[in-house]
Amino acid sequence: MLFEDVISEVGEFGPYQKRIYCLVCFLSIPTSMHILGTVFIQATPSHRCALTWLPNDTYKSQGSWHDAMVKDSIPWEEENGRFDTCSISRSPANLTNGTIYCDKWVYSKHTFRSTFVTDADLVCGDQSLATYASMLMMTGMLSGSFIMGILSDMIGRKKVMILGAVGQCAIAFATAGAKSYPVYATLRFLITFFGIGMFLSGFVIAIELVGPSKRKFVGIVIQMFWCIGLFIETGIAYGLRDWRHFQLAISMFSVVAVILYSFLLPESARWLLQKGRTKEAAKIIQTVAHQNGVVLSDHAKNLVEVDCGRKVETIWKMFASPILVFRSLIVLFNWFAASIVYYGLNLKAGDLSGDIYLNFFLLALVEFLSYFFCLAWLDVKGRKFLQCTSMVTGGVACIATLFPVLYWGDDERWMTLTLALVGKFGISAGFAIICVYSAELFPTVMRNSAIGFCSVSARIGGILAPYIAKMEDIIGGNLGVAVPLIIFGGLSLSAGVLVLFLPETCNKVLPDTLEEAKNFGRSSGSRAERSRSDKDGAGQAEIPTVTCERDNTTEEKQRLLRTHE
């Protein structure tokens, strides 16, 4: 008797699982807030060099005398239509005497009262430090996925989830008090390190109690809560406008997570059974059955001779087959492209014309709508068609944004925002679909390790995204504007076209073994599919649909897709 049979007997998605799942969905809210809160925390307002000889100099005009002094002391950049942000005259009112780089700045208070950039003066020569902090944050996700994932298998899902929740909560509050760059950057690394551990373990607890046929729904719906976190975050950022107060406010959601998950979530019954703790696992299964109104058979009640899954093969055996290597590379590239473009577009929200709060909200809204789109059409149009269409749409929109940005100016800013929203819709849908698609393409015997490999590819994309998104600050001029859009658009477009070389998985009997994976999709009457035609869709029942925690977290797939020996 397989553990999946036990879940089918107690109910694949009964009242008990729904309550647990609703609790787990809350995990997406603080996770998304802490990751994409960077858009507000590390925003760079308009600024110029401070007039050091003028007490209490401000960016805002103090009168005509102040305007005249600024005009006489700060060089004007005709190309950008603003005062130079890094240079000032050697002496007051004497631009002909040459200019020097300044070491003190004043910032506009119109949009933000303060950000970490304004507090630490991460502008001009130090502007790349903000980008490195974002890259460290993404590195924390990669490290946390591996380390906390391993701990989850060793000591249990619930313990690691609580450890992650407590760690994220403590680091979140500590971040609000950070005064130096090294401390801040370290805390940004740790907040995603612990946050990913919380998300992974909590989600696995829920997903391992859900029947296979419900995992696609579960995997996509949780991403909608990720967007709900972004909606709430936009309101908090708009109302507070001070990065320390903002950080403290979103940290309160981490406090709620600690309280909720310490007392309300059970351990994973599948993990307990794998560790030989049969009595504890049986108690949880009986609780599920009781609250779902199901009477269990003796085998399910006592978990007698229950097997947790098939034998696992290593990912390296995939390299023995050229066709599997080719397909794997396409899938890996799609994960990489989806991640780098998703994070890149989000981090560039502050660079779009118009209000940063409205732009951020609209980007979150179209992402939310893209998940409804996936739920409605994924089983209708198929994985390949939707993945290709979504990634190509995102790529074309990114590249098309070049024209209004470079040639149309601020008068057509609505077109820039519209194209950015179309790009975000496409890439968000593509990120969600590739999670489902890749889980179905890889054979059951190595699905866990294969998805873990995909996660590494996505995390690398996430690490590079901040650097590419901020290339404008490094390169400057029109070229600096064009290069990130060309990179994001080219990657997304290429990934979408390559999907055409993959087989369709929708409504197919999916591969369990390497041999079946090699033959999958070659013909409707392939040996692999004929040999399994009597399984009545059992292969379909083995497909674990996963969530992209951009996490949403990608490594949670590594845990939830695990097939235990």
Side-chain angles (χ1 to χ4, degrees), residues 264-548:
L264 298 180
L265 280 186
E267 182 55 271
S268 167
R270 183 190 289 265
W271 179 83
L272 289 170
L273 189 60
Q274 186 213 14
K275 294 297 182 181
R277 296 161 63 174
T278 308
K279 290 184 179 179
E280 295 173 72
K283 185 176 180 181
I284 292 173
I285 292 299
Q286 290 175 29
T287 300
V288 177
H290 174 72
Q291 296 196 20
N292 287 354
V294 175
V295 178
L296 291 174
S297 65
D298 291 338
H299 282 288
K301 185 183 298 183
N302 301 311
L303 297 182
V304 178
E305 297 179 356
V306 172
D307 184 8
C308 287
R310 294 179 174 84
K311 180 181 178 181
V312 177
E313 298 282 4
T314 63
I315 185 63
W316 310 117
K317 290 191 176 180
M318 185 78 75
F319 292 96
S321 168
I323 185 65
L324 294 184
V325 171
F326 178 67
R327 291 176 181 175
S328 298
L329 290 175
I330 294 175
V331 171
L332 288 169
F333 184 66
N334 268 264
W335 280 71
F336 173 82
S339 178
I340 197 171
V341 179
Y342 175 87
Y343 284 113
L345 289 177
N346 276 292
L347 293 174
K348 285 188 73 65
D351 299 332
L352 295 173
S353 300
D355 184 78
I356 185 175
Y357 303 104
L358 178 61
N359 292 345
F360 191 84
F361 176 82
L362 291 175
L363 287 170
L365 179 61
V366 297
E367 180 179 351
F368 189 80
L369 295 175
S370 74
Y371 299 140
F372 275 111
F373 171 79
C374 292
L375 281 176
W377 292 99
L378 199 55
D379 288 335
V380 177
K381 293 296 185 180
R383 282 56 163 154
K384 182 162 72 171
F385 175 80
L386 280 191
Q387 179 65 12
C388 175
T389 302
S390 298
M391 296 299 285
V392 168
T393 299
V396 170
C398 285
I399 295 174
T401 306
L402 281 172
F403 298 99
V405 168
L406 297 180
Y407 304 114
W408 296 355
D410 291 340
D411 293 338
E412 302 294 340
R413 63 179 59 179
W414 63 270
M415 180 59 73
T416 304
L417 180 58
T418 300
L419 289 171
L421 294 175
V422 172
K424 180 66 182 298
F425 183 95
I427 207 65
S428 298
F431 210 155
I433 295 165
I434 194 60
C435 296
V436 177
Y437 200 5
S438 53
E440 295 174 340
L441 280 170
F442 291 115
T444 303
V445 292
M446 63 172 54
R447 189 167 288 135
N448 166 67
S449 54
I451 296 299
F453 219 56
C454 292
S455 176
V456 173
S457 181
R459 295 279 72 79
I460 293 172
I463 291 170
L464 294 177
Y467 179 78
I468 296 174
K470 295 301 179 180
M471 273 188 172
E472 181 180 355
D473 297 334
I474 300 170
I475 300 174
N478 288 342
L479 182 62
V481 175
V483 168
L485 294 172
I486 292 173
I487 292 175
F488 291 147
L491 287 172
S492 184
L493 195 59
S494 300
V497 172
L498 286 172
V499 168
L500 296 175
F501 294 95
L502 296 176
E504 178 58 71
T505 60
C506 184
N507 299 320
K508 303 289 185 181
V509 177
L510 302 178
D512 280 333
T513 66
L514 277 171
E515 187 63 28
E516 291 172 356
K518 284 189 284 187
N519 291 313
F520 181 75
R522 290 186 173 180
S523 67
S524 59
S526 67
R527 182 180 62 81
E529 293 191 20
R530 288 198 306 270
S531 66
R532 300 176 62 223
S533 60
D534 60 342
K535 291 190 177 182
D536 296 326
Q540 182 74 29
E542 291 294 330
I543 307 164
T545 298
V546 296
T547 179
C548 301

Side-chain angles (χ1 to χ4, degrees), residues 89-374:
S89 64
R90 290 182 182 273
S91 59
N94 191 6
L95 290 177
T96 59
N97 194 33
T99 59
I100 58 174
Y101 282 104
C102 57
D103 57 5
K104 186 177 181 181
W105 294 264
V106 289
Y107 300 91
S108 170
K109 305 290 185 181
H110 176 71
T111 305
F112 302 98
R113 285 195 290 271
S114 74
T115 68
F116 184 77
V117 169
T118 65
D119 283 3
D121 285 330
L122 301 184
V123 293
C124 295
D126 291 332
Q127 63 187 7
S128 59
L129 293 178
T131 301
Y132 296 148
S134 297
M135 294 172 73
L136 274 173
M137 181 185 69
M138 294 297 179
T139 305
M141 292 179 66
L142 175 60
S143 304
S145 296
F146 279 115
I147 296 173
M148 300 294 272
I150 292 171
L151 277 177
S152 179
D153 285 340
M154 292 175 58
I155 66 175
R157 320 305 196 197
K158 184 173 182 177
K159 289 179 181 177
V160 172
M161 183 208 66
I162 295 174
L163 172 65
V166 172
Q168 185 194 62
C169 183
I171 298 300
F173 280 102
T175 301
K179 289 183 171 57
S180 68
Y181 176 80
V183 171
Y184 172 80
T186 301
L187 292 174
R188 295 305 288 170
F189 172 88
L190 291 174
I191 201 168
T192 51
F193 179 91
F194 285 108
I196 206 73
M198 174 187 72
F199 189 93
L200 288 175
S201 301
F203 186 74
V204 170
I205 288 173
I207 207 69
E208 290 184 338
L209 277 176
V210 173
S213 67
K214 301 297 182 181
R215 288 176 182 161
K216 182 193 73 178
F217 172 84
V218 165
I220 293 179
V221 168
I222 195 171
Q223 298 178 69
M224 295 179 179
F225 281 83
W226 166 279
C227 296
I228 291 173
L230 301 182
F231 295 149
I232 298 171
E233 182 172 54
T234 307
I236 294 173
Y238 181 82
L240 298 179
R241 306 203 178 207
D242 179 287
W243 82 271
R244 296 185 191 277
H245 296 161
F246 168 76
Q247 180 64 39
L248 287 172
I250 64 176
S251 298
M252 296 306 299
F253 289 85
S254 298
V255 175
V256 175
V258 172
I259 297 171
L260 284 178
Y261 304 131
S262 297
F263 302 103
L264 298 180
L265 280 186
E267 182 55 271
S268 167
R270 183 190 289 265
W271 179 83
L272 289 170
L273 189 60
Q274 186 213 14
K275 294 297 182 181
R277 296 161 63 174
T278 308
K279 290 184 179 179
E280 295 173 72
K283 185 176 180 181
I284 292 173
I285 292 299
Q286 290 175 29
T287 300
V288 177
H290 174 72
Q291 296 196 20
N292 287 354
V294 175
V295 178
L296 291 174
S297 65
D298 291 338
H299 282 288
K301 185 183 298 183
N302 301 311
L303 297 182
V304 178
E305 297 179 356
V306 172
D307 184 8
C308 287
R310 294 179 174 84
K311 180 181 178 181
V312 177
E313 298 282 4
T314 63
I315 185 63
W316 310 117
K317 290 191 176 180
M318 185 78 75
F319 292 96
S321 168
I323 185 65
L324 294 184
V325 171
F326 178 67
R327 291 176 181 175
S328 298
L329 290 175
I330 294 175
V331 171
L332 288 169
F333 184 66
N334 268 264
W335 280 71
F336 173 82
S339 178
I340 197 171
V341 179
Y342 175 87
Y343 284 113
L345 289 177
N346 276 292
L347 293 174
K348 285 188 73 65
D351 299 332
L352 295 173
S353 300
D355 184 78
I356 185 175
Y357 303 104
L358 178 61
N359 292 345
F360 191 84
F361 176 82
L362 291 175
L363 287 170
L365 179 61
V366 297
E367 180 179 351
F368 189 80
L369 295 175
S370 74
Y371 299 140
F372 275 111
F373 171 79
C374 292

